[in-house]
Amino acid sequence: MRLFANANYKFIEKRRTAYVVSAVTVVVGIVAMLANVALIGSWQNYGVDFTGGSLVQVHFNEDHGVGPVRDALGGASGPEVTRFDGENEFVIRAPLDEGASVDAVRESIEGQLEAAFGPGSFDISRTELVGPKIGAELQQKALLAILFSFALTLIYLAIRFELRFGMAAVIATMHDILITLGFLALFRVEIALPTVAAILTIVGYSLNDTIVVFDRIRENMAAKGARKLDQIELIDRSINETLPRTVLTSGTTLAVLVALLLVGPAVIRDFSLVLILGVMIGTYSSIFVASPALVEIRKRMGDGDRDRKKRRPQAASV
Amino acid sequence: MHLVLEVDDSLGTLTPEARAAGIDQAEQVLRTRIDEFGVEEPLIQKSGAERLIVELAGISDPERARDIIQQAAFLEFKLVEVAALSEQQLARVDRAIVTSIGVDSLRALGRDVAGPTGDLAEVLFGGAEAGDSLASDSTAVADSAETAVQAEEAPNLRPFSSLLRIGGDAPGTYLVAEEDVETARMFLSMDAVQNALPRNLSLQWGNDRESQAARNYRRLFTLVDEAFMTGEYLEDAQAQRDPQFNQAIVNFQFNRAGGRLFSRFTGANVGEYLAIVLDGEVMSAPVIRDRIGASGQIEMTGAPIEEARDLALVLRAGALTTPLRIMEERTVGPSLGQDSIEQGEVAGIIGLVLVLVIMIGYYRMAGFLSIIALSVYLLLVMGGMAGMGATLTLPGIAGLILSVGMAVDANVLIFERIREELAAGRATRTAVDEGFGHALSAIVDANVTTLITALILFQFGTGPVRGFAVTLSIGIIASFFSAIYVTRTFFLLYLQGRKASDPISI
């Protein structure tokens, strides 16, 4: 069996369509983020990992419904209560006051629930308490981590390939992160530590995919007589040659992720969803964003052949 | 159970060096304590210079574990200020409370804050000429005209001092009725109150309950703020039952340097009261009858012997030189954890089977060889993770999935290349060699960039994100090894005994 044997799709010729698709998706995401700023006060639905605060997941032996639980914790002015997956399992999110001990929140929730439903009528199945300082640091660190990985990837690719390959790869990765963040904002998926890990996984996956395509482009360019060929055609050929691999690898990764989504534990669901989305975006971007970006950069910066005579600086023209 | 601890420096008095030293010492102390507590495979590691991460698996009683860890066992010895607070000093405290939270909020507390007219009220607001004396007494109060007017309406507000009763039997102590303890605690935690207290004195709670005339009281000690000695000199501690009064006691022993300090101090302060303060609570305050050498005793009135044992344990394992604060805590109940792991395992197995079906379906024999390489890869990763003591967290699973994807990816790259070479008309063996050779650069570049991401994550990440980075790094290295060497070895075995031109199943 062979998928895409001798495929010859004109990906680069269609790049303007891809630009429109990407632009629309990115704009939708940005609008969603802006809407979130207006509606919920922050770009994303940050969980306790980022804002600091506490999360207590309670499993009741009997089904009380969400109303009584909310009432027991002080009604509308109390912490946020949501149903979790099962019938009588609830997630309670409470803010953490400045300087308050993290234990105090859990104890007070436990106390209030015991007062309302009696001791022993529930188990606490999960607690998470994050100090506000840690949350703020995490936001900063996540951003720094992404920026540094961009910088180092750029340097590595500039050495192994050429600077323009690195730039194109970083553009494609930024594109993927932006779209993923837009999606998260649109559906207000809670941004917790696993979500961050998922986003970083996407960074890794997307880079991986892009580099395999770039590697083939580089190889084809280094081949005899490649200089005389039309560059766009050469890039198209490289994408087509790597197409079976792209589809197969995405396929196996998606197969594992879909299994996690359908059979895996509920806590991992958001996370699997973000990864599935990311793998699809990453595959799309390595074909429709990274390679076209390379073409565009070449157009503006020349093909960067060091052996040729130094070009005079010239105004960018398309 | 996952905890992130930091030196509690809420007063902001410690230098970064002191905090770092505190964390270093805490790391040692917690290691010993957790070992004694008997948790299997605890993970205690420093994160940055000022943080400590503690991971305990399979804890059935997180409450007790938390106590053992956080129980700072911050032992201090302080002198009791026998004269307690003067009425002026108490008045200043009362005034600070009234000014900072206002009369209305005090009333809202529902407490009888206006005590009977007496000397204290006189001192407080100067009797009838309340308004005038207020203005001259305290500029802060005068600034707030509203408060002054309200204070005039209720001239004898004594929110704090009205809660106190003179301790009677023990000098330098007050009694606070059990139902007032919360309110008094709240007052004492206010910055304004702390500022109003004399600089060298502090009020600290006693740990036991006092029963008088059918009411329960907590003791509040007036202590000289500066501790003359802390628990760092402690060498040994043993729990015992005092045969005479049948109460739990903890005997402790100082090292030589500590013994010298202790004996010098007690010798100089015979007749004074010595407060033994553990984690901010006064355990006992015996009178110093004579110079005491290297050993002492903590009486734990009314406490069960188990509590004395736990205390002796934390004291013996080492007292923290600085208290610790929990910055982050995650616990997963046994039921949820077990369910999640089972579901995760099922999902992982289904995922692997799918990969297996795809690979064998698409590449046949070669696919089968790649599955063997993948098994070797999984063994390597599991072994590597066990070797590094990493725990499999949710983000860890993510790292594993990505690296499974990449482990297959390396094989896919090689096989595709071999197919291309075969399609270009090369002989089998040449095609295999060329395939491995040409795929190598793509595999190296892809793996190195991902490794870069992983290393940065490790540098910047905390807790679970670090776990993810570790898993990912191990996975990348293992996948590289298994794709290049393991698959190749099996391929060579498979090719053995075939003619160079025989077709292969790929």
Side-chain angles (χ1 to χ4, degrees), chain A residues 49 106 125 127 131 219 245, chain B residues 66 327 330-331 333 409 417:
Chain A
D49 288 335
R106 182 184 44 83
S125 42
T127 62
E219 188 185 326
R245 174 265 158 196
Chain B
R66 194 185 303 117
M327 299 291 290
R330 290 163 202 281
T331 54
D409 183 50
R417 206 57 201 236

Side-chain angles (χ1 to χ4, degrees), chain B residues 197-377:
Chain B
L197 283 171
R199 190 155 298 168
N200 62 330
L201 294 184
S202 67
L203 290 175
Q204 278 177 306
W205 296 97
N207 82 315
D208 58 331
R209 276 145 189 79
E210 201 91 4
S211 202
Q212 277 187 15
R215 283 184 81 186
N216 281 322
Y217 293 94
R218 285 288 289 273
R219 234 175 237 290
L220 197 56
F221 289 80
T222 319
L223 303 178
V224 175
D225 199 28
E226 199 186 336
F228 73 88
M229 203 170 155
T230 59
E232 60 186 309
Y233 300 103
L234 211 64
E235 198 157 68
D236 193 20
Q238 293 294 335
Q240 261 177 21
R241 190 174 283 283
D242 177 353
Q244 203 180 344
F245 302 103
N246 194 32
Q247 72 177 6
I249 50 172
V250 175
N251 286 312
F252 57 86
Q253 187 87 30
F254 290 115
N255 61 18
R256 286 177 60 178
R260 266 203 302 277
L261 253 171
F262 200 55
S263 115
R264 196 183 317 145
F265 183 83
T266 48
N269 288 286
V270 171
E272 298 278 338
Y273 289 81
L274 170 74
I276 302 172
V277 186
L278 184 73
D279 295 341
E281 287 202 340
V282 180
M283 302 299 289
S284 55
V287 63
I288 304 170
R289 299 210 184 283
D290 205 348
R291 179 185 293 270
I292 311 171
S295 56
Q297 196 176 70
I298 300 172
E299 292 165 25
M300 303 184 63
T301 323
I305 190 80
E306 284 75 28
E307 208 169 291
R309 280 205 195 99
D310 275 357
L311 174 62
L313 186 156
V314 291
L315 285 178
R316 190 166 57 235
L320 298 163
T321 49
T322 47
L324 293 178
R325 182 168 48 164
I326 295 183
M327 299 291 290
E328 185 182 328
E329 179 190 324
R330 290 163 202 281
T331 54
V332 172
S335 62
L336 182 74
Q338 198 50 44
D339 282 1
S340 294
I341 290 170
E342 276 166 22
Q343 282 175 313
E345 277 173 1
V346 171
I349 290 169
I350 292 178
L352 279 178
V353 169
L354 285 174
V355 171
L356 190 137
V357 168
I358 293 173
M359 289 301 279
I360 295 182
Y362 194 69
Y363 291 118
R364 298 167 194 281
M365 189 58 195
F368 178 72
L369 296 181
S370 77
I371 293 298
I372 296 176
L374 192 64
S375 324
V376 173
Y377 157 81

Side-chain angles (χ1 to χ4, degrees), chain B residues 94-95 98-99 102-107 111-118 120-131 133-134 141 145-159:
Chain B
D94 282 332
R95 214 153 44 214
V98 176
T99 3
V103 176
D104 288 341
S105 326
L106 277 176
R107 292 234 168 80
R111 307 216 59 84
D112 178 22
V113 289
T117 326
L120 270 169
E122 301 275 23
V123 175
L124 246 180
F125 295 116
E129 298 142 310
S133 76
L134 258 177
V141 175
E146 201 188 350
T147 318
V149 171
Q150 281 166 341
E152 223 169 347
E153 286 166 6
N156 38 6
L157 280 178
R158 310 197 285 123

Side-chain angles (χ1 to χ4, degrees), chain B residues 378-393:
Chain B
L378 279 176
L379 276 177
L380 287 175
V381 172
M382 298 297 178
M385 285 182 51
M388 295 190 65
T391 39
L392 197 59
T393 54

Side-chain angles (χ1 to χ4, degrees), chain A residues 192-205 253 256-257 260 265 267-276 279, chain B residues 344 348 377-378 381-382 385 391-407 450 454 457 464-476:
Chain A
L193 269 183
T195 334
V196 176
I199 294 172
L200 297 165
T201 310
I202 292 169
V203 174
Y205 189 87
T253 314
V256 180
L257 288 173
L260 268 183
V267 265
I268 213 171
R269 235 156 253 171
D270 272 356
F271 167 79
S272 313
L273 209 60
V274 175
L275 274 182
I276 288 176
V279 168
Chain B
Y377 157 81
L378 279 176
V381 172
M382 298 297 178
M385 285 182 51
T391 39
L392 197 59
T393 54
L394 209 56
I397 296 173
L400 203 60
I401 292 166
L402 179 67
S403 62
V404 165
M406 288 191 47
T450 315
L457 279 188
V465 174
R466 268 197 162 195
F468 168 77
V470 172
T471 320
L472 188 58
S473 312
I474 297 174
I476 292 163

Side-chain angles (χ1 to χ4, degrees), chain A residues 183-197:
Chain A
F183 171 87
L184 295 176
L186 190 63
F187 292 94
R188 294 216 188 127
V189 175
E190 188 183 306
I191 310 277
L193 269 183
T195 334
V196 176

Side-chain angles (χ1 to χ4, degrees), chain A residues 102-103 106 127-129 134, chain B residues 1-6 30 34 43-47 51-57 59 62-71 324-331 462-464:
Chain A
V102 277
D103 285 347
R106 182 184 44 83
T127 62
E128 289 184 3
L129 299 147
I134 294 234
Chain B
M1 179 166 197
H2 167 95
L3 290 168
V4 177
L5 303 163
E6 199 181 78
L30 290 194
I34 290 169
L43 174 84
I44 301 163
Q45 72 180 28
K46 266 176 48 169
S47 155
R51 255 178 219 159
L52 210 55
I53 294 171
V54 179
E55 308 241 10
L56 306 171
I59 287 274
E63 190 96 26
R64 182 145 182 255
R66 194 185 303 117
D67 283 348
I68 296 267
I69 290 165
Q70 209 192 4
Q71 189 169 7
L324 293 178
R325 182 168 48 164
I326 295 183
M327 299 291 290
E328 185 182 328
E329 179 190 324
R330 290 163 202 281
T331 54
T462 48

